Amino acid sequence: MQAPPDLPDELPQEALSQSGAARALRDITYGSVAGMVSKVFEHPFDLTKVRLQAQVLDPTARFNGPIDCLRQTWRKEGIRGLYRGLPAPIVGAMAENATLFLSYNELQSLIRRISGQTTDAPTTLPQIALAAAGAGGITATVLTPIELVKCKMQVQMLAASPHVAPSAVAAVAGLPLSASMPVNSSTIAKLPGPISVLMSVIREHGVRGLWLGHTGTLLREIGGGAAWFCTKEFVAGKLISYRLSKTSPGTLTKGKGREAEPLAYESAISGAFAGAAYNIALFPADTVKSALQTAQELHPNSHQARLGYLGMAKEMWSKQGIRGMYAGCGVTIARSIPSSAIIFLIYDGLKGRFG
């Protein structure tokens, strides 16, 4: 019995729709897993970066550098302190990488369609940069509220210290203001968790307040995302070409076979280079964002707590100049190299294993 005449035309469309949905689900799953694993590894270093960035506005520095920051955090707060605020970054890393890889791959497909290219046509670096920048812009919108909560939690213990006015401790802990309020273990024990911090922001500033520092996140993700994906694809392409030239002379053109896919070490190496490029690209934008998102905790009664993005950038520049804008850059690059390697190692590995 023959199928209805229109069935052959409908099946490809249905299969295409299912294929697109399956691809999107895989991107979300692979990106989430990669982000979660990498964030557990890098969180102590990210906490160090935020604390170093937050002290740029202080008259005297609490830490002499990243090693001193890690040492003091370990001595005063232990392992729990090194992972303070981790739930928000875990959620953020899953959301960030899922959104980033999904939107990046979908934008690549859109660019190819607009350019009239076939789905298996190689993507040029300018096309990669455009797709990555667009993906970064989309991701920044999802990421800003999560980063806001994370940064506020990462400086809670700094606010609950002799370096900060007692009113700052009250603001962080949600206690009544008192000029004579002592900083003690009972105050520290009352520091709020991520949900409390989130609800506090909404109560004080409305839902719109969750996007405080969005300009910095947007700049960082657009520029950094383009640098991240372009560097990864460029380095991976060079490594694959070198491997193919050694094993199969004359097959340097990018093919469809599995031999043209990156091996584990190629994903890790290219990912490591990408991690460094991401942070070098627009690090000052992230520094200003972190200071803006933590000003209310560390400087609640100063004019700095009321500054906008450009105002904060000028304030930080006047305090420490270029050195202040790159506070925490060294430790950030040091942790982003293995972290980014882990992300692409896992993402490419899952993609190669399950499609």
Side-chain angles (χ1 to χ4, degrees):
M1 181 177 178
Q2 291 185 340
D6 61 341
L7 189 56
D9 292 331
E10 290 180 357
L11 280 176
Q13 292 298 325
E14 182 181 353
L16 184 61
S17 176
Q18 291 176 349
S19 174
R23 185 180 68 245
L25 181 59
R26 287 195 296 268
D27 284 335
I28 292 172
T29 303
Y30 301 163
S32 296
V33 173
M36 180 175 60
V37 174
S38 68
K39 187 54 66 177
V40 172
F41 164 79
E42 71 173 40
H43 187 73
F45 304 99
D46 185 66
L47 178 139
T48 300
K49 177 208 73 169
V50 171
R51 291 187 171 187
L52 290 174
Q53 289 173 332
Q55 73 174 9
V56 172
L57 296 175
D58 295 338
T60 57
R62 300 176 179 84
F63 312 110
N64 296 323
I67 301 300
D68 182 52
C69 182
L70 283 168
R71 185 171 57 247
Q72 286 196 44
T73 302
W74 174 263
R75 188 176 69 249
K76 296 175 182 178
E77 306 171 46
I79 187 68
R80 185 176 180 181
L82 290 174
Y83 282 92
R84 179 167 295 279
L86 180 61
I90 285 286
V91 174
M94 294 174 67
E96 176 185 14
N97 285 277
T99 305
L100 191 60
F101 281 107
L102 174 61
S103 53
Y104 171 66
N105 288 323
E106 292 301 318
L107 286 172
Q108 270 195 323
S109 298
L110 177 62
I111 290 170
R112 277 196 291 265
R113 286 199 299 271
I114 293 174
S115 303
Q117 293 177 295
T118 57
T119 55
D120 59 347
T123 310
T124 65
L125 275 181
Q127 290 174 329
I128 290 172
L130 182 59
I138 295 170
T139 303
T141 303
V142 176
L143 193 58
T144 299
I146 300 170
E147 290 233 338
L148 177 69
V149 173
K150 178 204 74 172
C151 288
K152 286 181 177 296
M153 291 193 67
Q154 287 177 333
V155 299
Q156 285 176 334
M157 289 297 292
L158 299 188
S161 74
H163 290 81
V164 180
S167 57
V169 181
V172 174
L175 302 174
L177 291 178
S178 171
S180 61
M181 184 182 66
V183 177
N184 51 41
S185 58
S186 122
T187 301
I188 294 172
K190 294 179 180 178
L191 293 174
I195 301 300
S196 297
V197 172
L198 181 71
M199 297 309 298
S200 176
V201 172
I202 294 175
R203 281 196 306 270
E204 293 180 25
H205 307 287
V207 175
R208 185 178 179 182
L210 294 175
W211 277 267
L212 175 68
H214 182 59
T215 300
T217 311
L218 195 63
L219 290 172
R220 185 194 70 191
E221 292 298 315
I222 290 176
W228 198 53
F229 278 112
C230 282
T231 302
K232 193 272 178 180
E233 295 294 346
F234 177 79
V235 175
K238 292 296 183 182
L239 291 173
I240 292 170
S241 294
Y242 178 77
R243 169 167 53 84
L244 293 180
S245 71
K246 293 297 184 181
T247 58
S248 306
T251 60
L252 291 180
T253 55
K254 194 171 183 180
K256 298 181 184 179
R258 291 183 64 85
E259 70 277 359
E261 296 298 321
L263 299 179
Y265 79 90
E266 292 166 344
S267 292
I269 292 173
S270 58
F273 276 95
Y278 172 89
N279 285 288
I280 292 172
L282 284 166
F283 191 82
D286 182 68
T287 302
V288 177
K289 175 201 73 73
S290 294
L292 192 67
Q293 291 178 330
T294 58
Q296 188 173 0
E297 280 67 36
L298 300 180
H299 311 280
N301 297 321
S302 72
H303 73 284
Q304 294 159 349
R306 297 182 292 275
L307 291 174
Y309 187 82
L310 289 178
M312 180 62 75
K314 292 177 182 178
E315 182 83 3
M316 297 179 74
W317 181 267
S318 68
K319 295 283 185 181
Q320 293 192 29
I322 191 68
R323 180 182 177 184
M325 302 303 281
Y326 278 89
C329 184
V331 70
T332 302
I333 292 176
R335 60 94 173 167
S336 70
I337 289 174
S339 174
S340 185
I342 290 171
I343 288 175
F344 280 108
L345 179 64
I346 293 175
Y347 181 85
D348 286 346
L350 290 172
K351 190 173 181 180
R353 175 66 178 83
F354 299 106

